[in-house]
């Protein structure tokens, strides 16, 4: 998008925000309610778009659209609860009243792995509070953004411009962060992305919300129900092909059940159905891109060069040779390795034995 097109987008968003904020909050909530109803009508088709672009399995895609619907319901309730405080004053015949005002234009930068839900979290709350939103989706998910925009346009009447889409990559994200007409920037992505964008927004004293990477861990104690535990571990580590900031990446297992747990995990990973995400039977789809696959292999290669046991992680050629299907990897470590401290957006689970619970907690 060139500068002129960008200016048109900003001006449209600013103009509609001034009209939108003048609506009583319950009326704003009513339009959000209609939006949620439209999402219900289009749930199946929107989920198919997620599966097509983000390569998530069907059940996860349907669940994501449901998250957007749930956010609409939540925001409708909030539209009648945007309270301010009324407080006693030390001056006679006076009272103190607290009023909250809309910020104006909100910039929303989202990642590929939750191409609709994350936007809905931001939009529903921003909109019901009286703000407009400019959305820069991941380049991997432009059609998902268009699907949401189409649903909004169908019910929004004169307020279609409340959602405006800015397609592009890093350059467009930086433009949003630099623009002091965008009062709040919400960005979801890697920790590195956050480190790069935060100083830009902070330099103009803008408001910033960041949802960045994770490196979650779990501890398995000797008293654990392993049948249930293994299922939870597999879903947490392998769901969305490990491409979630909430994915389980580090597993600490008590020495008394370590061998049994590792064998069960290996058997479970072997049984996972990897295949086209459009198929009902598939439990794991492909990685989003060749770059993602290469990053995964680079990390696994580094671990193998140290003599560390890596089970799985190889590419599986199932149907389309252009897709990057991989078998989830179990990495059996004796020490906390440097690779464990970094988030790799792929299905890699590090497993380490522990003796005392306090040791596992401090790892």
């Amino acid at each position: 998008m060139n500068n002129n097109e960008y200016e048109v987008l900003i001006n449209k968003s600013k103009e509609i925000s001034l009209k939108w904020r003048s609506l009583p909050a319950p009326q704003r909530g009513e339009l959000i309610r209609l939006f949620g109803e439209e999402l219900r009508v289009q749930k199946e088709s929107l989920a198919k778009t997620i599966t097509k672009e983000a390569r998530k399995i069907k059940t996860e895609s349907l669940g994501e659209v449901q998250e957007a619907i749930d956010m609409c319901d939540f925001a409708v309730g909030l539209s009648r609860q945007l309270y301010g405080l009324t407080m006693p004053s030390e001056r006679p015949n006076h009272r103190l009243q607290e009023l909250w005002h809309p910020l104006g234009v909100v910039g929303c930068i989202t990642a590929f792995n939750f191409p609709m839900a994350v936007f809905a979290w931001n939009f529903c709350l921003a909109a019901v509070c009286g703000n407009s939103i400019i959305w820069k989706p991941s380049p991997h998910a432009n059609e998902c953004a268009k699907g949401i925009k189409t649903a909004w346009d169908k019910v929004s009447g004169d307020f279609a411009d409340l959602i405006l889409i800015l397609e592009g990559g890093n350059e467009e994200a930086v433009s949003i962060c630099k623009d002091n007409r965008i009062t709040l920037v919400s960005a979801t992505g890697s920790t590195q992305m956050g480190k790069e964008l935060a100083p830009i927004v902070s330099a103009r004293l803008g408001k910033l919300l960041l949802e960045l990477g994770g490196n979650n861990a779990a501890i398995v104690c000797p008293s654990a129900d392993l049948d249930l535990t293994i299922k939870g571990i597999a879903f947490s580590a392998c769901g969305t092909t490990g491409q979630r900031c909430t994915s389980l990446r580090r597993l600490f297992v008590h020495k008394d059940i370590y061998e049994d747990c590792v064998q069960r995990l290996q058997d479970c990973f072997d049984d996972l159905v990897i295949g086209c995400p459009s198929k009902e039977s598939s439990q794991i789809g492909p990685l989003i891109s060749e770059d993602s696959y290469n990053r995964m292999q680079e990390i696994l290669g580094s671990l193998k060069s140290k003599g560390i046991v890596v089970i799985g992680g190889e590419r599986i050629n199932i149907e389309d040779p252009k897709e990057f299907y991989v078998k989830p990897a179990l990495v059996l470590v004796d020490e906390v390795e440097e690779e464990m401290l970094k988030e790799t957006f792929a299905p890699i689970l590090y497993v380490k034995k522990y003796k005392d619970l306090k040791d596992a907690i401090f790892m």
Side-chain angles (χ1 to χ4, degrees):
M1 180 176 288
N2 60 43
N3 287 337
N4 289 337
E5 291 172 327
Y6 178 79
E7 287 300 314
V8 168
L9 198 73
I10 289 289
N11 290 333
K12 277 186 177 182
S13 191
K14 192 171 182 180
E15 181 181 348
I16 201 67
S17 73
L18 296 176
K19 295 178 181 178
W20 179 251
R21 70 189 297 168
S22 67
L23 278 184
Q27 291 185 29
R28 299 196 293 259
E30 173 60 13
L31 280 177
I32 298 298
R33 186 189 69 80
L34 294 175
F35 179 45
E37 291 302 314
E38 185 60 28
L39 293 180
R40 284 180 170 89
V41 172
Q42 297 191 32
K43 184 175 179 179
E44 288 282 343
S45 62
L46 289 171
K48 286 180 180 178
T49 303
I50 294 174
T51 295
K52 178 183 176 182
E53 279 201 302
R55 311 306 287 144
K56 295 172 74 167
I57 62 173
K58 185 177 179 180
T59 52
E60 289 189 355
S61 297
L62 287 168
E64 180 168 349
V65 181
Q66 186 61 49
E67 283 193 52
I69 293 167
D70 293 343
M71 275 306 304
C72 290
D73 292 345
F74 181 59
V76 172
L78 286 181
S79 70
R80 295 181 182 273
Q81 300 180 67
L82 299 177
Y83 306 131
L85 298 175
T86 300
M87 299 159 281
S89 171
E90 63 187 24
R91 300 175 63 187
N93 301 318
H94 284 73
R95 72 172 184 175
L96 301 175
Q97 186 176 12
E98 177 187 69
L99 295 174
W100 292 77
H101 298 284
L103 294 173
V105 180
V106 172
C108 184
I109 301 167
T110 58
F112 75 87
N113 57 338
F114 286 89
M116 293 186 186
V118 172
F119 171 76
W121 301 344
N122 285 273
F123 169 69
C124 291
L125 298 184
V128 82
C129 291
N131 305 287
S132 61
I133 197 159
I134 293 177
W135 180 14
K136 196 213 81 63
S138 164
H140 291 291
N142 286 326
E143 292 303 314
C144 290
K146 289 174 183 176
I148 289 288
K149 169 68 171 164
T150 299
W152 171 253
D153 289 352
K154 191 170 181 179
V155 301
S156 58
D158 295 335
F159 294 100
D161 286 346
L162 205 67
I163 298 176
L164 293 175
I165 297 173
L166 174 63
E167 293 185 3
N170 294 342
E171 184 177 340
E172 284 71 22
V174 169
S175 295
I176 286 176
C177 292
K178 285 182 176 179
D179 199 325
N180 58 18
R181 294 166 294 183
I182 298 177
T183 313
L184 168 69
V185 177
S186 174
T188 302
S190 67
T191 302
Q192 183 59 38
M193 178 212 71
K195 289 179 179 179
E196 293 174 6
L197 296 186
I200 300 173
V201 181
S202 299
R204 61 177 177 86
L205 300 180
K207 293 179 173 62
L208 181 64
L209 290 172
L210 292 174
E211 184 187 357
L212 306 177
N215 197 12
N216 295 336
I219 299 171
V220 184
C221 300
S223 58
D225 177 343
L226 283 185
D227 290 335
L228 182 61
T229 299
I230 296 302
K231 292 178 183 178
I233 291 169
F235 175 76
S236 185
C238 305
T240 324
T241 322
Q243 298 171 121
R244 294 187 299 220
C245 60
T246 53
S247 292
L248 178 62
R249 306 196 185 281
R250 296 174 296 140
L251 184 68
F252 301 104
V253 182
H254 191 272
K255 64 181 183 63
D256 290 347
I257 58 170
Y258 177 81
E259 298 297 336
D260 187 19
C261 187
V262 168
Q263 185 59 57
R264 287 176 182 240
L265 277 173
Q266 187 174 349
D267 293 342
C268 181
F269 279 23
D270 286 341
D271 289 340
L272 291 172
V273 180
I274 304 169
C276 177
S278 300
K279 291 183 177 179
E280 294 281 352
S281 59
S282 296
Q283 295 172 305
I284 301 177
L287 291 168
I288 191 65
S289 67
E290 184 176 2
D291 286 343
S292 294
Y293 170 75
N294 289 338
R295 283 192 293 270
M296 178 182 182
Q297 297 309 309
E298 181 181 351
I299 291 294
L300 295 180
S302 174
L303 292 161
K304 290 175 182 177
S305 70
K306 298 178 183 180
I308 295 170
V309 176
V310 176
I311 303 170
E314 66 272 15
R315 184 179 179 187
I316 304 172
N317 293 318
I318 297 177
E319 292 153 350
D320 187 346
K322 296 179 182 179
E323 297 273 25
F324 290 86
Y325 295 94
V326 293
K327 186 174 180 180
L330 284 174
V331 180
L332 310 183
V333 298
D334 295 323
E335 304 294 336
V336 174
E337 301 291 338
E338 181 183 356
E339 291 83 357
M340 293 174 65
L341 305 179
K342 301 175 183 177
E343 179 190 43
T344 303
F345 230 46
I348 300 175
L349 180 63
Y350 299 93
V351 187
K352 187 181 183 307
K353 186 187 304 181
Y354 77 89
K355 181 178 179 181
D356 298 315
L357 181 60
K358 67 177 186 301
D359 294 331
I361 292 172
F362 283 106
M363 286 185 219

PDB file of all heavy atoms in Angstrom, residues 252-277:
ATOM      1  N   PHE A 252       9.086 -31.972  32.514  1.00  0.00           N
ATOM      2  CA  PHE A 252       9.943 -32.506  33.564  1.00  0.00           C
ATOM      3  C   PHE A 252       9.218 -33.678  34.236  1.00  0.00           C
ATOM      4  O   PHE A 252       8.112 -33.516  34.764  1.00  0.00           O
ATOM      5  CB  PHE A 252      10.284 -31.408  34.582  1.00  0.00           C
ATOM      6  CG  PHE A 252      10.974 -30.237  33.946  1.00  0.00           C
ATOM      7  CD1 PHE A 252      10.282 -29.050  33.715  1.00  0.00           C
ATOM      8  CD2 PHE A 252      12.297 -30.315  33.552  1.00  0.00           C
ATOM      9  CE1 PHE A 252      10.903 -27.972  33.104  1.00  0.00           C
ATOM     10  CE2 PHE A 252      12.935 -29.243  32.952  1.00  0.00           C
ATOM     11  CZ  PHE A 252      12.236 -28.071  32.720  1.00  0.00           C
ATOM     12  N   VAL A 253       9.844 -34.854  34.189  1.00  0.00           N
ATOM     13  CA  VAL A 253       9.199 -36.094  34.624  1.00  0.00           C
ATOM     14  C   VAL A 253       9.997 -36.704  35.772  1.00  0.00           C
ATOM     15  O   VAL A 253      11.228 -36.817  35.703  1.00  0.00           O
ATOM     16  CB  VAL A 253       9.111 -37.109  33.460  1.00  0.00           C
ATOM     17  CG1 VAL A 253       8.386 -38.369  33.907  1.00  0.00           C
ATOM     18  CG2 VAL A 253       8.418 -36.486  32.260  1.00  0.00           C
ATOM     19  N   HIS A 254       9.282 -37.110  36.817  1.00  0.00           N
ATOM     20  CA  HIS A 254       9.962 -37.715  37.967  1.00  0.00           C
ATOM     21  C   HIS A 254      10.682 -38.996  37.544  1.00  0.00           C
ATOM     22  O   HIS A 254      10.187 -39.767  36.710  1.00  0.00           O
ATOM     23  CB  HIS A 254       8.949 -38.018  39.069  1.00  0.00           C
ATOM     24  CG  HIS A 254       9.596 -38.384  40.365  1.00  0.00           C
ATOM     25  ND1 HIS A 254       9.946 -39.682  40.677  1.00  0.00           N
ATOM     26  CD2 HIS A 254       9.981 -37.614  41.432  1.00  0.00           C
ATOM     27  CE1 HIS A 254      10.507 -39.708  41.880  1.00  0.00           C
ATOM     28  NE2 HIS A 254      10.541 -38.464  42.355  1.00  0.00           N
ATOM     29  N   LYS A 255      11.852 -39.204  38.152  1.00  0.00           N
ATOM     30  CA  LYS A 255      12.719 -40.320  37.752  1.00  0.00           C
ATOM     31  C   LYS A 255      12.033 -41.684  37.876  1.00  0.00           C
ATOM     32  O   LYS A 255      12.327 -42.615  37.116  1.00  0.00           O
ATOM     33  CB  LYS A 255      13.996 -40.311  38.583  1.00  0.00           C
ATOM     34  CG  LYS A 255      13.801 -40.538  40.071  1.00  0.00           C
ATOM     35  CD  LYS A 255      15.116 -40.488  40.816  1.00  0.00           C
ATOM     36  CE  LYS A 255      14.920 -40.798  42.299  1.00  0.00           C
ATOM     37  NZ  LYS A 255      14.420 -42.169  42.532  1.00  0.00           N
ATOM     38  N   ASP A 256      11.105 -41.810  38.836  1.00  0.00           N
ATOM     39  CA  ASP A 256      10.467 -43.115  39.055  1.00  0.00           C
ATOM     40  C   ASP A 256       9.504 -43.514  37.930  1.00  0.00           C
ATOM     41  O   ASP A 256       9.205 -44.700  37.765  1.00  0.00           O
ATOM     42  CB  ASP A 256       9.694 -43.104  40.380  1.00  0.00           C
ATOM     43  CG  ASP A 256      10.624 -43.062  41.588  1.00  0.00           C
ATOM     44  OD1 ASP A 256      11.837 -43.280  41.406  1.00  0.00           O
ATOM     45  OD2 ASP A 256      10.136 -42.789  42.707  1.00  0.00           O
ATOM     46  N   ILE A 257       9.027 -42.542  37.188  1.00  0.00           N
ATOM     47  CA  ILE A 257       8.081 -42.846  36.103  1.00  0.00           C
ATOM     48  C   ILE A 257       8.605 -42.369  34.747  1.00  0.00           C
ATOM     49  O   ILE A 257       7.889 -42.411  33.752  1.00  0.00           O
ATOM     50  CB  ILE A 257       6.701 -42.200  36.371  1.00  0.00           C
ATOM     51  CG1 ILE A 257       6.846 -40.672  36.532  1.00  0.00           C
ATOM     52  CG2 ILE A 257       6.028 -42.818  37.576  1.00  0.00           C
ATOM     53  CD1 ILE A 257       5.519 -39.946  36.551  1.00  0.00           C
ATOM     54  N   TYR A 258       9.865 -41.960  34.725  1.00  0.00           N
ATOM     55  CA  TYR A 258      10.435 -41.359  33.506  1.00  0.00           C
ATOM     56  C   TYR A 258      10.382 -42.329  32.323  1.00  0.00           C
ATOM     57  O   TYR A 258       9.880 -41.976  31.250  1.00  0.00           O
ATOM     58  CB  TYR A 258      11.871 -40.914  33.777  1.00  0.00           C
ATOM     59  CG  TYR A 258      12.570 -40.346  32.568  1.00  0.00           C
ATOM     60  CD1 TYR A 258      12.378 -39.030  32.169  1.00  0.00           C
ATOM     61  CD2 TYR A 258      13.434 -41.143  31.805  1.00  0.00           C
ATOM     62  CE1 TYR A 258      13.027 -38.514  31.051  1.00  0.00           C
ATOM     63  CE2 TYR A 258      14.080 -40.638  30.693  1.00  0.00           C
ATOM     64  CZ  TYR A 258      13.874 -39.327  30.319  1.00  0.00           C
ATOM     65  OH  TYR A 258      14.505 -38.833  29.217  1.00  0.00           O
ATOM     66  N   GLU A 259      10.908 -43.527  32.473  1.00  0.00           N
ATOM     67  CA  GLU A 259      10.981 -44.477  31.357  1.00  0.00           C
ATOM     68  C   GLU A 259       9.581 -44.797  30.829  1.00  0.00           C
ATOM     69  O   GLU A 259       9.346 -44.846  29.617  1.00  0.00           O
ATOM     70  CB  GLU A 259      11.697 -45.755  31.795  1.00  0.00           C
ATOM     71  CG  GLU A 259      13.147 -45.553  32.228  1.00  0.00           C
ATOM     72  CD  GLU A 259      14.024 -45.033  31.097  1.00  0.00           C
ATOM     73  OE1 GLU A 259      13.670 -45.260  29.913  1.00  0.00           O
ATOM     74  OE2 GLU A 259      15.065 -44.413  31.393  1.00  0.00           O
ATOM     75  N   ASP A 260       8.662 -45.042  31.764  1.00  0.00           N
ATOM     76  CA  ASP A 260       7.283 -45.364  31.381  1.00  0.00           C
ATOM     77  C   ASP A 260       6.644 -44.192  30.646  1.00  0.00           C
ATOM     78  O   ASP A 260       5.992 -44.371  29.596  1.00  0.00           O
ATOM     79  CB  ASP A 260       6.474 -45.712  32.632  1.00  0.00           C
ATOM     80  CG  ASP A 260       5.074 -46.211  32.302  1.00  0.00           C
ATOM     81  OD1 ASP A 260       4.840 -46.633  31.151  1.00  0.00           O
ATOM     82  OD2 ASP A 260       4.207 -46.180  33.197  1.00  0.00           O
ATOM     83  N   CYS A 261       6.852 -42.998  31.157  1.00  0.00           N
ATOM     84  CA  CYS A 261       6.254 -41.798  30.553  1.00  0.00           C
ATOM     85  C   CYS A 261       6.796 -41.546  29.153  1.00  0.00           C
ATOM     86  O   CYS A 261       6.035 -41.264  28.219  1.00  0.00           O
ATOM     87  CB  CYS A 261       6.513 -40.588  31.450  1.00  0.00           C
ATOM     88  SG  CYS A 261       5.666 -39.085  30.926  1.00  0.00           S
ATOM     89  N   VAL A 262       8.103 -41.680  28.986  1.00  0.00           N
ATOM     90  CA  VAL A 262       8.721 -41.449  27.675  1.00  0.00           C
ATOM     91  C   VAL A 262       8.211 -42.467  26.656  1.00  0.00           C
ATOM     92  O   VAL A 262       7.895 -42.125  25.512  1.00  0.00           O
ATOM     93  CB  VAL A 262      10.256 -41.492  27.772  1.00  0.00           C
ATOM     94  CG1 VAL A 262      10.888 -41.547  26.381  1.00  0.00           C
ATOM     95  CG2 VAL A 262      10.772 -40.274  28.529  1.00  0.00           C
ATOM     96  N   GLN A 263       8.110 -43.733  27.069  1.00  0.00           N
ATOM     97  CA  GLN A 263       7.622 -44.758  26.148  1.00  0.00           C
ATOM     98  C   GLN A 263       6.185 -44.495  25.753  1.00  0.00           C
ATOM     99  O   GLN A 263       5.808 -44.630  24.579  1.00  0.00           O
ATOM    100  CB  GLN A 263       7.742 -46.141  26.795  1.00  0.00           C
ATOM    101  CG  GLN A 263       7.379 -47.281  25.865  1.00  0.00           C
ATOM    102  CD  GLN A 263       8.245 -47.319  24.624  1.00  0.00           C
ATOM    103  OE1 GLN A 263       9.471 -47.400  24.712  1.00  0.00           O
ATOM    104  NE2 GLN A 263       7.629 -47.240  23.432  1.00  0.00           N
ATOM    105  N   ARG A 264       5.363 -44.104  26.726  1.00  0.00           N
ATOM    106  CA  ARG A 264       3.965 -43.792  26.427  1.00  0.00           C
ATOM    107  C   ARG A 264       3.861 -42.591  25.484  1.00  0.00           C
ATOM    108  O   ARG A 264       3.021 -42.578  24.573  1.00  0.00           O
ATOM    109  CB  ARG A 264       3.203 -43.491  27.720  1.00  0.00           C
ATOM    110  CG  ARG A 264       2.910 -44.713  28.584  1.00  0.00           C
ATOM    111  CD  ARG A 264       2.245 -44.265  29.872  1.00  0.00           C
ATOM    112  NE  ARG A 264       1.971 -45.338  30.794  1.00  0.00           N
ATOM    113  CZ  ARG A 264       0.754 -45.653  31.235  1.00  0.00           C
ATOM    114  NH1 ARG A 264      -0.303 -44.988  30.802  1.00  0.00           N
ATOM    115  NH2 ARG A 264       0.582 -46.615  32.116  1.00  0.00           N
ATOM    116  N   LEU A 265       4.694 -41.598  25.714  1.00  0.00           N
ATOM    117  CA  LEU A 265       4.681 -40.424  24.836  1.00  0.00           C
ATOM    118  C   LEU A 265       5.082 -40.804  23.421  1.00  0.00           C
ATOM    119  O   LEU A 265       4.471 -40.354  22.445  1.00  0.00           O
ATOM    120  CB  LEU A 265       5.630 -39.346  25.369  1.00  0.00           C
ATOM    121  CG  LEU A 265       5.095 -38.432  26.455  1.00  0.00           C
ATOM    122  CD1 LEU A 265       6.207 -37.528  26.988  1.00  0.00           C
ATOM    123  CD2 LEU A 265       3.949 -37.570  25.921  1.00  0.00           C
ATOM    124  N   GLN A 266       6.116 -41.634  23.315  1.00  0.00           N
ATOM    125  CA  GLN A 266       6.564 -42.062  21.989  1.00  0.00           C
ATOM    126  C   GLN A 266       5.462 -42.829  21.268  1.00  0.00           C
ATOM    127  O   GLN A 266       5.195 -42.594  20.077  1.00  0.00           O
ATOM    128  CB  GLN A 266       7.817 -42.929  22.112  1.00  0.00           C
ATOM    129  CG  GLN A 266       8.450 -43.279  20.776  1.00  0.00           C
ATOM    130  CD  GLN A 266       9.773 -44.008  20.943  1.00  0.00           C
ATOM    131  OE1 GLN A 266      10.330 -44.079  22.032  1.00  0.00           O
ATOM    132  NE2 GLN A 266      10.278 -44.570  19.843  1.00  0.00           N
ATOM    133  N   ASP A 267       4.798 -43.707  21.986  1.00  0.00           N
ATOM    134  CA  ASP A 267       3.694 -44.473  21.387  1.00  0.00           C
ATOM    135  C   ASP A 267       2.559 -43.539  20.975  1.00  0.00           C
ATOM    136  O   ASP A 267       1.962 -43.708  19.891  1.00  0.00           O
ATOM    137  CB  ASP A 267       3.175 -45.508  22.377  1.00  0.00           C
ATOM    138  CG  ASP A 267       4.192 -46.613  22.665  1.00  0.00           C
ATOM    139  OD1 ASP A 267       5.142 -46.769  21.865  1.00  0.00           O
ATOM    140  OD2 ASP A 267       4.044 -47.294  23.703  1.00  0.00           O
ATOM    141  N   CYS A 268       2.258 -42.573  21.832  1.00  0.00           N
ATOM    142  CA  CYS A 268       1.177 -41.631  21.537  1.00  0.00           C
ATOM    143  C   CYS A 268       1.502 -40.782  20.311  1.00  0.00           C
ATOM    144  O   CYS A 268       0.661 -40.601  19.421  1.00  0.00           O
ATOM    145  CB  CYS A 268       0.933 -40.739  22.751  1.00  0.00           C
ATOM    146  SG  CYS A 268      -0.404 -39.540  22.528  1.00  0.00           S
ATOM    147  N   PHE A 269       2.735 -40.286  20.245  1.00  0.00           N
ATOM    148  CA  PHE A 269       3.152 -39.474  19.100  1.00  0.00           C
ATOM    149  C   PHE A 269       3.112 -40.294  17.816  1.00  0.00           C
ATOM    150  O   PHE A 269       2.765 -39.783  16.753  1.00  0.00           O
ATOM    151  CB  PHE A 269       4.553 -38.909  19.326  1.00  0.00           C
ATOM    152  CG  PHE A 269       4.600 -37.681  20.200  1.00  0.00           C
ATOM    153  CD1 PHE A 269       3.579 -37.401  21.094  1.00  0.00           C
ATOM    154  CD2 PHE A 269       5.673 -36.808  20.145  1.00  0.00           C
ATOM    155  CE1 PHE A 269       3.616 -36.281  21.905  1.00  0.00           C
ATOM    156  CE2 PHE A 269       5.716 -35.678  20.930  1.00  0.00           C
ATOM    157  CZ  PHE A 269       4.694 -35.411  21.827  1.00  0.00           C
ATOM    158  N   ASP A 270       3.473 -41.579  17.927  1.00  0.00           N
ATOM    159  CA  ASP A 270       3.435 -42.453  16.752  1.00  0.00           C
ATOM    160  C   ASP A 270       2.010 -42.667  16.251  1.00  0.00           C
ATOM    161  O   ASP A 270       1.785 -42.900  15.059  1.00  0.00           O
ATOM    162  CB  ASP A 270       4.055 -43.813  17.084  1.00  0.00           C
ATOM    163  CG  ASP A 270       5.575 -43.747  17.185  1.00  0.00           C
ATOM    164  OD1 ASP A 270       6.162 -42.782  16.671  1.00  0.00           O
ATOM    165  OD2 ASP A 270       6.159 -44.667  17.804  1.00  0.00           O
ATOM    166  N   ASP A 271       1.049 -42.610  17.167  1.00  0.00           N
ATOM    167  CA  ASP A 271      -0.345 -42.874  16.809  1.00  0.00           C
ATOM    168  C   ASP A 271      -1.083 -41.638  16.282  1.00  0.00           C
ATOM    169  O   ASP A 271      -2.205 -41.764  15.767  1.00  0.00           O
ATOM    170  CB  ASP A 271      -1.107 -43.423  18.027  1.00  0.00           C
ATOM    171  CG  ASP A 271      -0.683 -44.847  18.373  1.00  0.00           C
ATOM    172  OD1 ASP A 271      -0.123 -45.527  17.492  1.00  0.00           O
ATOM    173  OD2 ASP A 271      -0.892 -45.255  19.531  1.00  0.00           O
ATOM    174  N   LEU A 272      -0.488 -40.460  16.436  1.00  0.00           N
ATOM    175  CA  LEU A 272      -1.163 -39.245  15.979  1.00  0.00           C
ATOM    176  C   LEU A 272      -1.347 -39.281  14.460  1.00  0.00           C
ATOM    177  O   LEU A 272      -0.439 -39.678  13.725  1.00  0.00           O
ATOM    178  CB  LEU A 272      -0.353 -38.008  16.373  1.00  0.00           C
ATOM    179  CG  LEU A 272      -0.303 -37.690  17.872  1.00  0.00           C
ATOM    180  CD1 LEU A 272       0.694 -36.569  18.139  1.00  0.00           C
ATOM    181  CD2 LEU A 272      -1.686 -37.306  18.393  1.00  0.00           C
ATOM    182  N   VAL A 273      -2.504 -38.870  14.012  1.00  0.00           N
ATOM    183  CA  VAL A 273      -2.817 -38.887  12.580  1.00  0.00           C
ATOM    184  C   VAL A 273      -2.389 -37.550  11.974  1.00  0.00           C
ATOM    185  O   VAL A 273      -2.962 -36.497  12.257  1.00  0.00           O
ATOM    186  CB  VAL A 273      -4.323 -39.114  12.344  1.00  0.00           C
ATOM    187  CG1 VAL A 273      -4.626 -39.129  10.840  1.00  0.00           C
ATOM    188  CG2 VAL A 273      -4.772 -40.409  12.999  1.00  0.00           C
ATOM    189  N   ILE A 274      -1.369 -37.613  11.146  1.00  0.00           N
ATOM    190  CA  ILE A 274      -0.838 -36.421  10.483  1.00  0.00           C
ATOM    191  C   ILE A 274      -1.327 -36.424   9.045  1.00  0.00           C
ATOM    192  O   ILE A 274      -1.144 -37.405   8.319  1.00  0.00           O
ATOM    193  CB  ILE A 274       0.708 -36.420  10.515  1.00  0.00           C
ATOM    194  CG1 ILE A 274       1.211 -36.534  11.960  1.00  0.00           C
ATOM    195  CG2 ILE A 274       1.257 -35.167   9.851  1.00  0.00           C
ATOM    196  CD1 ILE A 274       2.700 -36.798  12.081  1.00  0.00           C
ATOM    197  N   GLY A 275      -1.959 -35.342   8.628  1.00  0.00           N
ATOM    198  CA  GLY A 275      -2.478 -35.322   7.268  1.00  0.00           C
ATOM    199  C   GLY A 275      -3.178 -34.039   6.925  1.00  0.00           C
ATOM    200  O   GLY A 275      -3.142 -33.064   7.691  1.00  0.00           O
ATOM    201  N   CYS A 276      -3.815 -34.022   5.774  1.00  0.00           N
ATOM    202  CA  CYS A 276      -4.486 -32.832   5.264  1.00  0.00           C
ATOM    203  C   CYS A 276      -5.454 -32.296   6.325  1.00  0.00           C
ATOM    204  O   CYS A 276      -6.325 -33.034   6.804  1.00  0.00           O
ATOM    205  CB  CYS A 276      -5.243 -33.171   3.988  1.00  0.00           C
ATOM    206  SG  CYS A 276      -6.183 -31.766   3.335  1.00  0.00           S
ATOM    207  N   PRO A 277      -5.334 -31.037   6.700  1.00  0.00           N
ATOM    208  CA  PRO A 277      -6.179 -30.502   7.773  1.00  0.00           C
ATOM    209  C   PRO A 277      -7.659 -30.453   7.422  1.00  0.00           C
ATOM    210  O   PRO A 277      -8.495 -30.294   8.312  1.00  0.00           O
ATOM    211  CB  PRO A 277      -5.600 -29.096   8.000  1.00  0.00           C
ATOM    212  CG  PRO A 277      -4.888 -28.748   6.743  1.00  0.00           C
ATOM    213  CD  PRO A 277      -4.358 -30.038   6.209  1.00  0.00           C
TER     214      PRO A 277
END
